[in-house]
Amino acid sequence: MIWNQIESSPQEEIIKLQSKRLIETVQRVYSLTPFYKNKFDELKITPNDIKSIDDISKLPFTKKQDLRDHYPFGLFTVPMSEIVRVHSSSGTTGKPTVVGYTKKDMDIWDEVMARVYTMAGVNQDDVVHNAYGYGLFTGGLGLHNGAEKVGATVIPSSGGFTERQVMLMKDFGATVLASTPSFALHIAEVAAKSGACFKNDFKLKAGVFGAEPTSKGLKEEVSKVWGIDYHEVYGLSEIIGPGVSCSCKHSELLHVFEDHFYPEIIDPKTGEALPDGQRGELVITSLTKQALPIIRYKTGDITSLTRTPCKCGRTMVRMESVVGRVDDMIIINGVNVYPSQVEHVISETDGLSLNYQIIIDKKGHLDQLEILIEINDDIMIDSIGEIEKIKKDIQHNLLTNLYIKTNVKLVEPRSIERSVGKAVRIVDKRK
Ligand code: DLL
């Protein structure tokens, strides 16, 4: 089922709508935010130069730092009396980036999240166990409201308290799990330890997972261990929160709700637009936001776009699952690596679990990479020789696939600290 027929409209119609909405958004930011007025002036452009969506490349970029510089509410285009909700991004350093929503913005957020849930096959007969964190993070409330909009029963369980999550999922008959993929795996691990039988004790049929880069291997693992359909949701607070795009049951690509969020792919170094199919930094312009319209926001996320038709009948542009972040990219002695690539290699090596941590340090002038990986619970290791063999295998695979020399340490199952939100995969001691 498709929530809104616009999701399957002809491309020409969508482009027309995008042009109309871009013109309105540009006029709005130019007249209401001195920040954008100054940026337009610097580039010697006015709203009159924007006549259609094709003119978008004339517009300036917006960066995370711009939001920080106007902390907390400096880029809002409505008085606070019209703001009904504030969230902030899960930044790790400095002040968070703060975002606000009018009533109409909230309606749009609910609408796109209803599209997400419908894409995941969720309806009023479902029980959605929502284990994304509630609070300033957009995950909890974003996944909550959309589920209510499609009429499902929502269990607002939030993150943490893993044993309790297992109990509630069983007792309340959850049919859908909404959480980060790493937390979904952790819940499964705790459930298995408690002796639960996945087939008889749970009614789960699908999951709506996102908020962190995730390898194909980890997705398959989540889907296999729970025996469910894996749907990926992507989004970021600066644009709306979760609900920018989602994958349907036909492929891993994510349908972007481009009637509200216009995506471009650029070369992160030069800012030049890249063609469909090529990986680069995702840039998004909000087309309908009222409180905090954003022009060409540099997401820092690496992905590519494709316009090939999808079997589900949706016609909007699709994005590849994010492979990493521009700023998350690890550079080891000159070689660029994303944690998700390391994860993929681990997933293809026998005997290893997907609980790992990458520790980067420097010895002299050289970067050193240590990877802690938990061995699988069910593997029978009788000798040190066998452990050595697995270690050699993974080191060899990392070297031949990613060209990185690593020191792998195999550790006991469950010895790496678990996250209840976004997984902490990298500890960079060089910084
Ligand atoms: O993480 C919104 C969200 C909540 C998305 C729940 C999906 C589910 P922020 O905290 O602002 O918002 O972080 C945004 O998280 O730029 C990506 O780097 C990363 N991210 C979000 N979804 C995905 C995904 C939420 N499906 C940042 N795959 C983004 C990979 C993702 N990375």
Side-chain angles (χ1 to χ4, degrees):
M1 224 189 96
I2 293 180
W3 178 259
N4 188 328
Q5 61 85 20
I6 192 155
E7 295 172 74
S8 51
S9 296
Q11 267 287 320
E12 311 80 71
E13 256 174 53
I14 296 169
I15 292 169
K16 238 194 237 163
L17 188 63
Q18 287 170 332
S19 293
K20 178 177 163 282
R21 290 179 168 175
L22 179 69
I23 291 167
E24 286 163 6
T25 300
V26 163
Q27 267 153 1
R28 183 178 186 91
V29 297
Y30 187 79
S31 57
L32 295 173
T33 34
F35 165 74
Y36 278 117
K37 163 114 188 14
N38 291 340
K39 284 207 152 204
F40 279 44
D41 292 348
E42 272 167 33
L43 291 173
K44 299 193 175 26
I45 53 167
T46 71
N48 292 335
D49 293 309
I50 307 303
K51 298 193 167 58
S52 79
I53 199 76
D54 293 337
D55 293 321
I56 199 158
S57 58
K58 295 180 183 163
L59 294 169
F61 291 115
T62 309
K63 302 193 189 87
K64 201 175 189 76
Q65 190 58 41
D66 297 324
L67 278 100
R68 291 213 178 105
D69 290 346
H70 295 84
Y71 176 86
F73 308 137
L75 294 183
F76 289 8
T77 59
V78 295
M80 284 309 279
S81 55
E82 286 181 37
I83 299 284
V84 297
R85 176 84 70 79
V86 166
H87 279 284
S88 80
S89 88
S90 48
T92 46
T93 50
K95 298 257 192 208
T97 34
V98 180
V99 298
Y101 304 76
T102 63
K103 232 173 176 325
K104 192 173 158 233
D105 293 332
M106 291 302 298
D107 289 345
I108 289 169
W109 195 9
D110 293 354
E111 153 73 21
V112 288
M113 282 310 299
R115 293 183 193 179
V116 164
Y117 276 115
T118 307
M119 221 183 271
V122 180
N123 59 37
Q124 65 206 27
D125 298 325
D126 282 299
V127 176
V128 176
H129 184 93
N130 187 9
Y132 282 105
Y134 281 65
L136 284 170
F137 174 49
T138 51
L141 286 164
L143 271 287
H144 182 112
N145 291 351
E148 276 188 1
K149 179 133 181 141
V150 299
T153 308
V154 193
I155 313 300
S157 146
S158 197
F161 307 103
T162 320
E163 277 90 7
R164 200 187 56 182
Q165 307 271 2
V166 173
M167 181 186 80
L168 297 181
M169 283 173 72
K170 264 198 229 169
D171 295 351
F172 296 176
T175 57
V176 178
L177 173 61
S179 74
T180 56
S182 55
F183 193 42
L185 213 50
H186 182 42
I187 302 176
E189 206 171 49
V190 171
K193 208 171 144 214
S194 73
C197 164
F198 285 86
K199 217 165 170 199
N200 299 330
D201 294 342
F202 297 96
K203 295 201 180 114
L204 224 53
K205 61 170 198 192
V208 182
F209 304 113
E212 61 191 13
T214 311
S215 68
K216 199 172 158 60
L218 198 140
K219 285 182 200 169
E220 282 168 4
E221 179 82 17
V222 170
S223 169
K224 195 172 110 202
V225 69
W226 282 110
I228 56 174
D229 291 335
Y230 189 111
H231 291 271
E232 178 175 352
V233 58
Y234 167 83
L236 59 164
S237 20
E238 292 86 342
I239 296 302
I240 194 115
V244 168
S245 61
C246 183
S247 62
C248 66
K249 67 174 179 194
H250 294 286
S251 91
E252 282 174 59
L253 299 175
L254 291 86
H255 295 270
V256 182
F257 304 125
E258 59 173 324
D259 50 332
H260 293 292
F261 319 114
Y262 185 78
E264 297 171 82
I265 300 292
I266 60 157
D267 177 328
K269 286 204 192 88
T270 63
E272 287 302 309
L274 295 175
D276 286 352
Q278 208 160 313
R279 276 186 189 159
E281 181 175 4
L282 176 67
V283 167
I284 306 180
T285 301
S286 72
L287 296 175
T288 45
K289 283 273 290 296
Q290 284 194 322
L292 183 60
I294 295 254
I295 304 289
R296 304 190 86 200
Y297 185 71
K298 293 184 81 179
T299 64
D301 293 321
I302 307 280
T303 179
S304 62
L305 297 177
T306 169
R307 271 163 241 272
T308 51
C310 180
K311 279 194 205 134
C312 72
R314 291 176 180 84
T315 47
M316 295 193 179
V317 63
R318 288 183 291 165
M319 62 183 260
E320 179 191 17
S321 188
V322 170
V323 288
R325 290 196 43 84
V326 174
D327 48 12
D328 220 39
M329 192 170 69
I330 319 169
I331 306 182
I332 301 297
N333 299 319
V335 181
N336 297 353
V337 191
Y338 291 103
S340 58
Q341 292 176 301
V342 173
E343 189 174 292
H344 184 67
V345 175
I346 298 174
S347 76
E348 299 214 311
T349 309
D350 284 343
L352 299 176
S353 83
L354 284 168
N355 293 304
Y356 66 95
Q357 200 160 53
I358 302 169
I359 298 166
I360 314 164
D361 210 345
K362 245 189 177 4
K363 203 169 181 191
H365 293 295
L366 281 186
D367 297 321
Q368 303 281 318
L369 201 77
E370 184 175 73
I371 307 182
L372 307 182
I373 313 171
E374 288 181 11
I375 48 174
N376 254 339
D377 231 353
D378 48 7
I379 189 164
M380 307 286 278
I381 296 180
D382 299 328
S383 70
I384 295 182
E386 275 175 62
I387 293 195
E388 274 304 306
K389 180 173 177 313
I390 298 178
K391 186 176 148 167
K392 280 216 177 95
D393 281 351
I394 178 76
Q395 287 183 171
H396 172 80
N397 293 348
L398 288 165
L399 186 64
T400 49
N401 287 289
L402 306 178
Y403 313 109
I404 48 169
K405 202 164 166 252
T406 53
N407 175 23
V408 169
K409 264 197 190 151
L410 299 181
V411 295
E412 297 270 316
R414 284 175 294 282
S415 60
I416 296 174
E417 200 181 329
R418 298 293 188 265
S419 68
V420 292
K422 301 191 187 210
V424 181
R425 298 297 195 196
I426 306 169
V427 180
D428 195 342
K429 295 186 173 166
R430 297 172 303 181
K431 288 179 184 159

